[in-house]
Amino acid sequence: MKNRVLKVHPSDNVIVALDSLKSGEEIAYGDKKTKLIGDISPKHKYNEEDLKVGDEVIMYGVLVGKAAQDIPAGSWINVFNVKHAASPFKLGDRKTDWEKPNIDLFKDKTFLGYHREDGSVGTANYWIVLPLVFCENKNLQLIKDALVDNLGYGKKEKYQNFAADLINKYKSGGGSEDILNSELQSVAINQSQPRIFENIDGVKFLNHDMGCGGTRQDAQALCGLLAGYISHPNVAGATVLSLGCQNAQYSILQEELAKRNAQDKKLIFLEQQELGTEEKVVTEGIKQTLASLVEANKIERKPAPLSKLKLGLECGGSDGFSGISANPALGYTSDLLVALGGTSVLSEFPELCGVEQELSDRCETEETALKFIDLMRAYARKAEEAGSGFDMNPSPGNIKDGLITDAIKSAGAAKKGGTSPVVDVLDYPQQIKKNGLNLLCTPGNDVESTTAMVGSGCNVVLFTTGLGTPTGNPIAPVIKVASNRKLAEKMSDIIDINTGTVIEGEETIEEVGTRILNYVIEVASGTTQCASVRNQQDDFIPWKRGVSL
């Protein structure tokens, strides 16, 4: 490791530990030396100068907290001596000038995608089966049980076989010690059968717990989200199951499809109260879906410009390194893609707390800036009315690994958005309409946010993590980017890219960001399968428009 500490921004008054620092050490940074009066773990911070009660704590060049007590220089900054604080924001001047990155390495590159009639290009080709209401989840499961394995999309049955092996040991007279001493690798694993349809990546089932019993606004938003999935470039068509009497009516779904100009997308609609028995719904679902797969299989991957890529920028299980390695690297990847004419989406509005002024100033128009400001204020107000607030966003894991205030977490999270101008601000579940950097109002909840970004049209998601989380999506590849080497090695089954090389001084942000975009092209072309797809991590949670941080 080339450096043991880092000041992220010249105006910061706290320093990040990149390595374990011991009490009594005298740490030099620039022309200053600070004697530590406590141990500082990696990812955590210490203050360069004495702080009095109420003094501002600055990191990433912005206000991230205030001293809750007098803090002598060289102290560990933590939740006991610093409290969340963020700067107010208002409509300011447009600041849309930016230094575009060099795109010479990518200007002639393409990816192999599925070209749709509306001009969009998919990075995969799925058929989806979804219910308009939770009452149809059982029928959804019956169709899934009938199709997935028979079509060659089932997972290897290593855990079922492992459990069967343990049960047989018990039947043969073995005890608890025999069970506990068994190893997974000793169990034979059945290989799933080859795909029946070569050009279809899978049949995905989007079960959920919504559609009735909630507000009419929730039903409308759900239909908008489902319409986003049906119209998505990664989707060939959909089988829609309806009970009949629910709030989320088929007519609302059709309205939402019309908003997305997706009326001509192949759609199978089955309503149980119209058809009658479960058997009729399920058998029709199986027959009509299979017949549609025959047609959907006729499309093949063809070269497409990188401008057809739409990247979702997500973080979850973040740590104190996320904002100085993985997130800035994604920001550079985003800038590269935007400079190439492509699109990226930054979401998780509760995790943009404290950087609202910078982001609103980067909006290309005052109208867009005001929309962002209004959405942020409305979200914060609703959280406070519920007895919560953005300051309660950091999880125990975030805090343990150095993200002690929401403003610290947010300032690092916003780095995923790079430096390009904001071309549009979207409210959930609106569809992407402009190429460039978009802001999408979603919760900070990983799965809700990822679900929303894909519903808005993202055909690849880049997801940074410092602690490790397996989140995926049914129809879009979710590429996992680790902020540190320890995580990349410990949870190698879910991590695709290690950016800990930035912390270790082996690579620059720009080098890692370039490496990430090259990997995105491989995944988008179907030549590389990222971990979330390989693991069939099909997480799907629609946002109920209440308070979710």
Side-chain angles (χ1 to χ4, degrees):
M1 185 172 293
K2 294 183 179 179
N3 297 301
R4 300 182 68 206
V5 297
L6 173 69
K7 179 184 278 192
V8 179
H9 188 277
S11 66
D12 293 355
N13 58 6
V14 292
I15 304 288
V16 184
L18 305 180
D19 197 5
S20 294
L21 308 177
K22 297 298 180 183
S23 180
E25 281 193 70
E26 194 169 68
I27 304 296
Y29 194 89
D31 58 357
K32 288 186 180 180
K33 289 185 178 180
T34 305
K35 187 175 183 179
L36 302 181
I37 58 174
D39 293 344
I40 311 294
S41 299
K43 309 177 186 180
H44 285 262
K45 295 90 184 164
Y46 66 87
N47 53 315
E48 274 193 306
E49 312 236 349
D50 293 343
L51 294 173
K52 300 295 184 184
V53 174
D55 281 355
E56 294 185 344
V57 177
I58 306 296
M59 189 175 172
Y60 298 100
V62 299
L63 174 65
V64 295
K66 290 188 177 181
Q69 60 189 53
D70 291 346
I71 310 173
S75 297
W76 170 41
I77 298 299
N78 56 59
V79 293
F80 304 106
N81 56 25
V82 170
K83 300 301 179 186
H84 168 83
S87 297
F89 55 96
K90 62 181 180 179
L91 182 66
D93 296 329
R94 303 300 90 225
K95 297 178 182 178
T96 56
D97 291 338
W98 69 299
E99 187 176 342
K100 293 183 179 181
N102 187 311
I103 57 173
D104 288 347
L105 289 173
F106 296 99
K107 62 183 180 181
D108 296 323
K109 288 193 175 184
T110 60
F111 73 99
L112 296 174
Y114 294 99
H115 293 248
R116 305 300 181 186
E117 291 182 6
D118 64 358
S120 63
V121 180
T123 60
N125 189 33
Y126 290 104
W127 189 272
I128 57 174
V129 184
L130 57 88
L132 284 177
V133 63
F134 54 82
C135 309
E136 290 299 308
N137 281 341
K138 182 194 174 186
N139 290 336
L140 197 82
Q141 186 63 44
L142 290 172
I143 296 173
K144 181 178 181 179
D145 292 343
L147 289 179
V148 172
D149 287 338
N150 285 325
L151 291 174
Y153 300 119
K155 286 187 70 173
K156 298 174 182 178
E157 297 179 350
K158 63 179 180 180
Y159 298 121
Q160 292 93 326
N161 290 342
F162 183 50
D165 180 71
L166 299 183
I167 292 167
N168 287 333
K169 283 187 177 182
Y170 171 73
K171 287 181 177 179
S172 301
S176 57
E177 287 298 318
D178 297 301
I179 293 173
L180 293 172
N181 289 328
S182 297
E183 296 292 337
L184 179 63
Q185 59 262 32
S186 67
V187 181
I189 298 174
N190 290 340
Q191 300 292 324
S192 56
Q193 67 182 59
R195 286 185 192 175
I196 302 300
F197 299 110
E198 183 181 352
N199 295 323
I200 297 176
D201 294 293
V203 180
K204 297 296 184 177
F205 296 79
L206 279 55
N207 64 300
H208 58 82
D209 64 356
M210 294 181 66
C212 203
T215 66
R216 293 296 193 271
Q217 291 87 346
D218 281 341
Q220 187 79 40
L222 173 66
C223 288
L225 178 72
L226 297 179
Y229 274 73
I230 293 169
S231 62
H232 197 281
N234 288 7
V235 172
T239 302
V240 178
L241 305 185
S242 169
L243 180 60
C245 58
Q246 71 277 350
N247 287 345
Q249 285 287 301
Y250 184 53
S251 59
I252 303 176
L253 178 65
Q254 289 176 308
E255 289 172 12
E256 293 293 337
L257 286 169
K259 291 178 185 177
R260 293 158 177 80
N261 296 315
Q263 305 97 310
D264 297 330
K265 200 78 175 243
K266 178 61 179 176
L267 203 61
I268 299 165
F269 176 66
L270 302 170
E271 190 159 272
Q272 188 168 3
Q273 289 172 350
E274 179 70 26
L275 288 171
T277 65
E278 171 192 285
E279 183 177 299
K280 287 183 179 179
V281 174
V282 175
T283 54
E284 281 300 312
I286 293 170
K287 287 192 301 182
Q288 293 192 43
T289 299
L290 270 173
S292 297
L293 292 177
V294 173
E295 297 303 313
N297 190 51
K298 293 178 180 178
I299 191 172
E300 296 181 351
R301 289 183 183 270
K302 294 179 181 178
L306 300 186
S307 59
K308 294 296 184 179
L309 290 174
K310 293 179 170 61
L311 288 182
L313 307 170
E314 180 70 26
C315 57
S318 298
D319 70 348
F321 285 164
S322 293
I324 57 180
S325 60
N327 291 346
L330 255 64
Y332 189 74
T333 303
S334 173
D335 284 349
L336 283 171
L337 186 61
V338 169
L340 289 160
T343 302
S344 59
V345 177
L346 181 65
S347 59
E348 302 178 286
F349 275 27
E351 296 176 12
L352 300 178
C353 176
V355 292
E356 297 98 334
Q357 191 65 59
E358 179 207 339
L359 287 172
S360 63
D361 289 349
R362 280 168 58 187
C363 290
E364 288 188 331
T365 67
E366 286 193 357
E367 180 184 6
T368 305
L370 285 169
K371 183 176 180 180
F372 173 61
I373 289 169
D374 289 345
L375 285 169
M376 285 295 293
R377 286 177 175 165
Y379 203 147
R381 184 169 59 252
K382 186 172 285 190
E384 289 167 3
E385 288 171 353
S388 185
F390 287 171
D391 61 302
M392 301 175 103
N393 172 274
S395 70
N398 294 149
I399 294 167
K400 180 176 178 290
D401 271 44
L403 301 179
I404 63 167
T405 73
D406 186 49
I408 290 178
K409 183 177 178 181
S410 295
K415 294 298 179 184
K416 301 191 302 292
T419 60
S420 66
V422 175
V423 297
D424 206 359
V425 173
L426 308 172
D427 194 7
Y428 174 84
Q430 290 178 326
Q431 186 182 42
I432 299 165
K433 293 182 179 178
K434 296 181 180 180
N435 288 17
L437 176 62
N438 289 251
L439 303 181
L440 171 65
C441 183
T442 75
N445 177 291
D446 307 345
V447 180
E448 288 176 329
S449 179
T450 301
T451 299
M453 285 194 294
V454 175
S456 287
C458 293
N459 52 16
V460 177
V461 176
L462 286 171
F463 189 123
T464 69
T465 182
L467 305 175
T469 173
T471 301
N473 184 265
I475 66 167
V478 179
I479 297 169
K480 286 294 166 45
V481 182
S483 72
N484 61 89
R485 184 181 299 275
K486 183 179 179 181
L487 169 63
E489 294 175 350
K490 183 179 182 181
M491 302 182 76
S492 59
D493 61 325
I494 66 168
I495 298 297
D496 301 293
I497 296 171
N498 169 35
T499 66
T501 50
V502 173
I503 303 298
E504 295 157 2
E506 296 177 4
E507 285 185 294
T508 65
I509 293 292
E510 292 78 14
E511 288 170 337
V512 176
T514 299
R515 177 158 58 89
I516 291 172
L517 184 53
N518 277 316
Y519 187 82
V520 167
I521 294 169
E522 293 177 13
V523 171
S525 298
T527 56
T528 295
Q529 196 175 62
C530 66
S532 67
V533 175
R534 188 168 60 247
N535 296 333
Q536 295 188 5
Q537 188 77 35
D538 295 338
D539 299 308
F540 179 80
I541 301 180
W543 181 24
K544 292 179 181 177
R545 201 60 185 263
V547 176
S548 177
L549 297 177

